Amino acid sequence: MTHEFVFLVLTCAISGCLSQCSQNNVYKDILEKKTLNFTQIARQVGLAVEEYDVTTQDAYILKLFHIPGDRTRPVLLMHGIIDSADTFILRGNTSLAAALSRAGYDVWVGNTRGNRYSRRHVYLNPDDDVEFWDFSFHEQGFYDLPATIDFILDQTGAAALSAVGHSQGNTIFLVLGATKPEYNEKIKVIIALSPICFLNNLKNAPSLIVSSMSFVDQIFKITGQEEFLGDDTLAGRLFRAVCGCKKSYGFCAHGIFFAIAGSDPEEMESDFLPTVVAHYPTGTSKKNAVHVSQIGLKKKFSTYDYEWRNMDIYNSTTPPEYDLSKVTMRVALLAGRNDQISTLKDVELLKNKLPNVVEYKVINHKKFNHMDAVWGRNMYKYLFPEILKVLVMFS
Ligand SMILES: *[C@@H]1O[C@H](CO)[C@@H](O)[C@H](O)[C@H]1NC(C)=O
Ligand SMILES: *[C@@H]1O[C@H](CO)[C@@H](O)[C@H](O)[C@H]1NC(C)=O
Ligand SMILES: *[C@@H]1O[C@H](CO)[C@@H](O)[C@H](O)[C@H]1NC(C)=O
């Protein structure tokens, strides 16, 4: 089945999709990467944006966007895997960043190491130094979040901030709370959209992807590549070439996005897909993808498994599990029935392990999948009121 899927992608890419794609059938700005950045999209809907660089303790340079509002009410938005800050503004004025800004919040939108905006380091070069890519969501939680949070608290003078995370954008808060418990007090509440922690009950394509990661890892080892689905990687370019074709909606939407995240065509219409493709995926490390697959395969929320090196690194043959009892920050879990990645069963497992869950809600939109929380056409109707309710309660 996995090989079939790979075969399908390759066949379609090399023969069908591309040959159908004459010059007037492609989205040129996608192929030429002339896409608007966060600041430009926000400006189009009348929002002013400030850009900051935040340097982490281990010298990564992260881009942080700020839409100024009431400084006593800062909210930090964190994107998921191979995604970026753009995800929270792609829908223009019906995006979460715009909605929170209109509601008066001081909106900060972060970028974790390795993506389009945070592919920078004080002395490592992401194109030449493989060490740059030696990270997973562990380092994003352990280094990127504290640097980002402290920067915001310093700028605003607030003692704590609220946060909204999507997918792996929540996992990193769990890592932070478990590994640096003093940060629990700096977070008033984290609203977890499509939360990712345990991956014991993945469905369909996501489960196949997790089980084929070791195969992908082998291929990467042969080619020596450490960057995963970055803008200029072969896979990233191939994806844009295929899905940047106007005739590819069927294949890209149904064969890739819906197959992985759960199907909800009404919420990602054909006119909107090119916008998504122009901004997603936008890169992470192979190690991050492998770490995620380890969580799914071992059915344990653990640190990275270095195999024979575990003893040196952890003084234990198995990687230690993250201690969720130390994650004492308030957590609101907003999940979807049709989410094939963050399944209700796994969200419930998380709910039972966390000491301070203040809200658990299955979103009232039957087909709510793993992407609707950031890209859904009508998310401002069925999701944003739930987010605002929790924010008002705790900020
Ligand atoms: C976004 O685009 C604007 C306008 O071209 C530019 O000034 C700004 O530096 C860009 N920001 C980033 C993070 O790329
Ligand atoms: C977004 O902007 C359009 C056009 O200005 C407007 O009709 C619509 O009501 C706005 N939507 C929201 C959620 O603000
Ligand atoms: C390593 O683990 C052993 C057994 O759990 C323990 O006795 C020892 O003190 C640990 N060593 C270090 C350096 O933490």
Side-chain angles (χ1 to χ4, degrees):
M1 190 64 185
T2 309
H3 294 107
E4 238 170 78
F5 184 70
V6 172
F7 182 73
L8 185 66
V9 173
L10 291 179
T11 317
C12 178
I14 294 158
S15 59
C17 295
L18 290 184
S19 68
Q20 279 181 20
C21 243
S22 58
Q23 279 299 68
N24 31 7
N25 262 332
V26 296
Y27 296 100
K28 261 189 130 168
D29 51 345
I30 292 183
L31 296 185
E32 293 166 11
K33 288 204 306 171
K34 283 188 189 149
T35 49
L36 300 181
N37 66 34
F38 183 94
T39 302
Q40 292 169 312
I41 303 172
R43 259 185 214 144
Q44 282 185 339
V45 293
L47 300 168
V49 176
E50 296 168 352
E51 298 183 357
Y52 294 96
D53 287 335
V54 175
T55 305
T56 67
Q57 198 194 336
D58 59 344
Y60 284 78
I61 304 170
L62 312 175
K63 185 65 74 184
L64 178 61
F65 297 104
H66 179 214
I67 308 172
D70 173 0
R71 294 211 160 206
T72 64
R73 291 188 293 152
V75 181
L76 168 63
L77 310 185
M78 285 309 308
H79 62 81
I81 192 168
I82 52 176
D83 206 355
S84 75
D86 295 353
T87 208
F88 292 110
I89 198 73
L90 277 195
R91 278 285 180 183
N93 73 339
T94 54
S95 296
L96 186 60
L100 293 178
S101 176
R102 297 228 167 87
Y105 289 94
D106 196 43
V107 181
W108 299 81
V109 192
N111 287 287
T112 50
R113 59 185 62 192
N115 82 4
R116 178 178 296 187
Y117 294 117
S118 296
R119 215 175 161 281
R120 283 168 72 200
H121 190 278
V122 173
Y123 53 88
L124 294 174
N125 178 344
D127 292 322
D128 299 330
D129 301 317
V130 288
E131 304 99 289
F132 178 90
W133 300 102
D134 187 12
F135 66 82
S136 74
F137 63 80
H138 177 85
E139 284 74 16
Q140 296 177 339
F142 192 80
Y143 294 112
D144 296 356
L145 267 187
T148 304
I149 290 168
D150 287 335
F151 184 89
I152 297 169
L153 297 184
D154 189 51
Q155 289 282 318
T156 56
L161 52 75
S162 304
V164 182
H166 176 239
S167 189
Q168 198 179 76
N170 298 302
T171 322
I172 59 179
F173 279 89
L174 303 177
V175 170
L176 175 67
T179 57
K180 294 189 168 175
E182 67 277 18
Y183 276 84
N184 284 296
E185 282 162 33
K186 300 189 182 192
I187 295 155
K188 290 180 197 168
V189 62
I190 164 84
I191 301 174
L193 311 174
S194 324
I196 292 290
C197 178
F198 298 103
L199 299 172
N200 299 7
N201 295 286
L202 289 170
K203 292 183 189 162
N204 310 325
S207 136
L208 288 175
I209 292 170
V210 157
S211 46
S212 57
M213 256 327 281
S214 69
F215 172 69
V216 174
D217 190 17
Q218 291 310 315
I219 294 178
F220 271 61
K221 275 189 183 130
I222 294 166
T223 63
Q225 202 183 326
E226 293 293 332
E227 185 175 10
F228 188 72
L229 287 171
D231 293 335
D232 292 321
T233 58
L234 180 64
R237 275 189 255 156
L238 186 64
F239 179 82
R240 282 201 307 278
V242 173
C243 296
C245 175
K246 291 180 185 174
K247 293 186 174 172
S248 300
Y249 178 78
F251 173 72
C252 288
H254 292 274
I256 300 178
F257 283 103
F258 296 148
I260 295 174
S263 179
D264 193 2
E266 275 171 29
E267 288 297 287
M268 191 168 77
E269 68 280 20
S270 57
D271 286 350
F272 187 65
L273 183 69
T275 306
V276 169
V277 172
H279 295 265
Y280 185 94
T282 182
T284 188
S285 63
K286 180 198 69 181
K287 186 175 179 181
N288 190 9
V290 170
H291 193 177
V292 172
S293 77
Q294 291 175 350
I295 305 289
L297 292 173
K298 293 168 202 291
K299 302 192 192 300
K300 279 188 181 145
F301 186 49
S302 306
T303 48
Y304 192 84
D305 188 348
Y306 290 94
E307 298 170 356
W308 56 271
R309 286 163 58 211
N310 284 339
M311 201 64 200
D312 283 347
I313 292 166
Y314 302 122
N315 188 28
S316 150
T317 53
T318 54
E321 287 182 52
Y322 292 104
D323 184 355
L324 290 173
S325 72
K326 290 191 177 147
V327 185
T328 55
M329 65 184 87
R330 296 187 192 96
V331 182
L333 299 167
L334 307 187
R337 249 179 226 103
N338 186 35
D339 191 330
Q340 302 197 125
I341 305 174
S342 124
T343 60
L344 291 188
K345 275 188 183 165
D346 285 339
V347 177
E348 268 158 37
L349 284 176
L350 173 61
K351 185 184 82 177
N352 295 335
K353 291 271 185 181
L354 285 173
N356 199 0
V357 173
V358 291
E359 170 80 294
Y360 169 73
K361 179 111 197 165
V362 179
I363 295 304
N364 189 19
H365 166 60
K366 217 166 70 191
K367 290 191 178 165
F368 193 74
N369 63 15
H370 200 70
M371 320 179 283
D372 288 344
V374 281
W375 303 333
R377 172 154 50 174
N378 294 297
M379 61 187 170
Y380 69 97
K381 292 183 192 160
Y382 53 72
L383 177 68
F384 293 179
E386 304 291 345
I387 295 175
L388 285 163
K389 212 161 64 186
V390 177
L391 283 179
V392 168
M393 224 183 303
F394 298 107
S395 45

